[in-house]
Amino acid sequence: MALRGRGASGAPGAVVDRLARDTGHPVPGTDEVRANRLSALGALSGMAVGCGVGVTVSLLRRAGVRMPWWLGTLTTGALAMAAADVPLAKLGVSDPSTWSAADWASDIAPHLMYGLVTYAVVVAGED
């Protein structure tokens, strides 16, 4: 977003909206107020996914799963990407099979950076 100057994606908010409606708890509000709530809840859901993946990778490491930095980076990034993209596809919010190469690159790059930083933090406290 910072490099290309594009706006924030509405997809996370759409996932939250779909899940909220499907569970019988629609997000309240009208027009801009509701849109703002969905945007905020979408961002919070992304943070929750990131924290959840970080905890999962940390627990796996503690359980003895040791990977070289490059594999830990790829695995952590792939887990985060799957946790974000599978709900998009399953809920019909987006169809990754229709994404262009640029779309995939804009999805892969931040997840790989997340994987690199998160895996580095997981292993940083070890001797």
Side-chain angles (χ1 to χ4, degrees):
M1 290 169 50
L3 293 176
R4 294 174 43 204
R6 69 173 179 81
S9 172
V15 168
V16 168
D17 186 31
R18 178 67 61 89
L19 288 172
R21 282 187 291 126
D22 288 353
T23 60
H25 301 286
V27 176
T30 58
D31 302 329
E32 187 177 349
V33 169
R34 186 170 186 281
N36 290 339
R37 283 184 176 136
L38 287 171
S39 178
L41 291 168
L44 289 171
S45 71
M47 290 179 218
V49 165
C51 289
V53 169
V55 167
T56 300
V57 170
S58 181
L59 291 172
L60 288 170
R61 180 94 177 167
R62 185 167 175 95
V65 178
R66 299 284 192 263
M67 294 177 272
W69 73 268
W70 61 269
L71 184 57
T73 292
L74 292 174
T75 301
T76 304
L79 285 171
M81 193 165 149
D85 292 350
V86 168
L88 287 175
K90 292 288 186 186
L91 294 170
V93 171
S94 184
D95 182 1
S97 70
T98 65
W99 293 358
S100 68
D103 294 334
W104 276 105
S106 68
D107 193 49
I108 292 169
H111 285 111
L112 278 178
M113 292 308 300
Y114 164 85
L116 175 66
V117 171
T118 301
Y119 198 70
V121 168
V122 166
V123 301
E126 298 176 355
D127 292 328

